Amino acid sequence: MKLLIITVALVAFSTAMPTTDTSTSSMLELLTNSGFTELAEALIHHNMTDIINTNDAMTIFAPTNEAFHHLRENRWTRNLTHDMMVKVLGRLFVLHRKLLPTDVRNEMMVETASQEKLRLNIYPKVRTVNGIIVVMEPNVQSDKVIIYKVNRFPTSPAPGRDLFEMLNRRKDRFSTLSRAIEVANLKETLKTGGPFTLFAPTNDAFKALPEAKLAKLMDTPADLKSILLGHIVNGTYFLGGFMTSPDLRNLMGGFNHILATGTNITVNGTRIIIRDGMIAENGAIHSIDSVLLPTTSNTTTTV
């Protein structure tokens, strides 16, 4: 599943509307009056009465009208069925909870009306929901409802789509990495551990290694495991987490140096393919075009 995790600029937020104006408003009125007309209309069109008629507390991650336009124009999403749209819309609503900015914790998981989970992350410059950048200051709120604006629709992995399963479903890109993970006895770690961020070398990245070196690694599980652990860091780092060019400690004990320059992002000098990322139940995957190899300086280099 493609990660929709690229935001060109942060969306400017208006201040919260006065409680006297919104405390008795319905949820649809709140959405409409604060400019989320497409979302309000979609809820009605898809007959989502359980959400429309609720009188309970609620948190809404509301896509802009422009986000709806992109959804209709995108060739992958413009033909979504009614059932698919119900799932997409339900994913935006956290029921029974008015989640204030001060309530948010890094790696917090919240259940949505679609019975899927959203992962909230706090980075030095931004906060994200399933990788989508969101400013955690309310665009509008009433006594029971709080609405945060996002400019993309968050995606969510299907049940059982852990880090290893996501790789395994992309054998055209990651078959060598999947096989290496199994040889190194790391499959269970990536299925049940985490959350982790995996920098995933493509098949072409492995082909760039000398043939004899790759063959030797595949025959030496301990050495292979050490190299692969250098590709895994604790915590979920979507692209928003790379904005400050952090040094991330990997599971081998060394550091992976992130350098973000505009839309160009590298890890230890190798390019992160930002359009090829994936979200899993237990973390995030970033495709890279080189294998990261350990050095004597407690870091990794690329080949």
Side-chain angles (χ1 to χ4, degrees):
M1 182 182 294
K2 295 287 184 183
L3 278 179
L4 302 179
I5 54 182
I6 305 168
T7 301
V8 176
L10 296 180
V11 179
F13 275 68
S14 61
T15 57
M17 292 176 65
T19 303
T20 53
D21 290 341
T22 63
S23 59
T24 59
S25 298
S26 72
M27 183 268 292
L28 286 180
E29 289 174 329
L30 288 176
L31 289 173
T32 300
N33 292 339
S34 52
F36 300 106
T37 54
E38 291 268 10
L39 178 53
E41 291 169 6
L43 292 172
I44 297 170
H45 179 74
H46 292 284
N47 198 31
M48 301 187 70
T49 55
D50 288 348
I51 292 175
I52 293 172
N53 295 331
T54 185
N55 289 316
D56 204 349
M58 183 187 305
T59 300
I60 307 172
F61 295 98
T64 61
N65 290 344
E66 184 180 2
F68 274 89
H69 173 75
H70 287 312
L71 191 75
R72 289 191 293 267
E73 294 296 319
N74 188 298
R75 66 190 181 101
W76 300 109
T77 56
R78 63 190 177 197
N79 295 319
L80 292 179
T81 66
H82 165 75
D83 288 343
M84 290 177 180
M85 276 303 300
V86 167
K87 178 75 76 172
V88 167
L89 294 171
R91 193 180 297 145
L92 307 172
F93 293 82
V94 179
L95 302 179
H96 315 301
R97 187 171 189 181
K98 181 181 177 182
L99 189 66
L100 297 173
T102 53
D103 297 328
V104 175
R105 299 292 180 268
N106 191 41
E107 302 289 3
M108 174 184 283
M109 302 290 289
V110 292
E111 186 105 11
T112 68
S114 65
Q115 299 185 342
E116 298 169 298
K117 291 184 177 180
L118 297 176
R119 183 184 298 276
L120 303 175
N121 286 100
I122 301 174
Y123 304 120
K125 285 192 174 182
V126 298
R127 299 187 184 189
T128 63
V129 52
N130 277 22
I132 302 297
I133 293 178
V134 54
V135 177
M136 297 299 291
E137 288 297 331
N139 177 269
V140 64
Q141 65 173 305
S142 66
D143 291 342
K144 293 184 177 181
V145 177
I146 189 165
I147 303 171
Y148 300 109
K149 185 188 293 184
V150 294
N151 65 354
R152 294 288 188 274
F153 282 81
T155 61
S156 187
R161 301 285 175 85
D162 54 70
L163 289 164
F164 183 79
E165 177 63 20
M166 294 300 294
L167 291 175
N168 212 34
R169 294 178 66 85
R170 291 290 311 276
K171 291 183 178 179
D172 59 316
R173 297 280 284 164
F174 302 111
S175 59
T176 306
L177 177 58
S178 295
R179 181 162 59 92
I181 288 168
E182 293 189 276
V183 169
N185 199 29
L186 287 172
K187 177 179 176 179
E188 197 62 24
T189 298
L190 292 178
K191 287 190 72 67
T192 62
F196 297 129
T197 298
L198 171 64
F199 297 101
T202 63
N203 291 339
D204 287 341
F206 279 100
K207 285 180 182 178
L209 291 172
E211 188 174 342
K213 183 177 184 66
L214 179 58
K216 183 179 180 181
L217 283 174
M218 289 297 190
D219 288 335
T220 316
D223 291 345
L224 183 60
K225 182 176 183 178
S226 295
I227 288 174
L228 293 179
L229 288 175
H231 292 73
I232 307 168
V233 300
N234 277 309
T236 311
Y237 287 89
F238 297 105
L239 293 185
F242 297 154
M243 292 174 66
T244 55
S245 298
D247 289 341
L248 306 177
R249 185 178 290 276
N250 58 51
L251 297 193
M252 193 57 195
F255 287 93
N256 290 349
H257 300 295
I258 305 297
L259 179 61
T261 308
T263 59
N264 182 53
I265 305 175
T266 61
V267 51
N268 295 343
T270 194
R271 181 172 64 101
I272 294 175
I273 305 169
I274 59 178
R275 293 285 184 181
D276 202 23
M278 294 181 284
I279 183 171
E281 282 189 326
N282 58 338
I285 299 172
H286 297 285
S287 176
I288 56 176
D289 55 14
S290 299
V291 177
L292 308 179
L293 297 176
T295 68
T296 55
S297 61
N298 203 35
T299 62
T300 57
T301 188
T302 60
V303 103

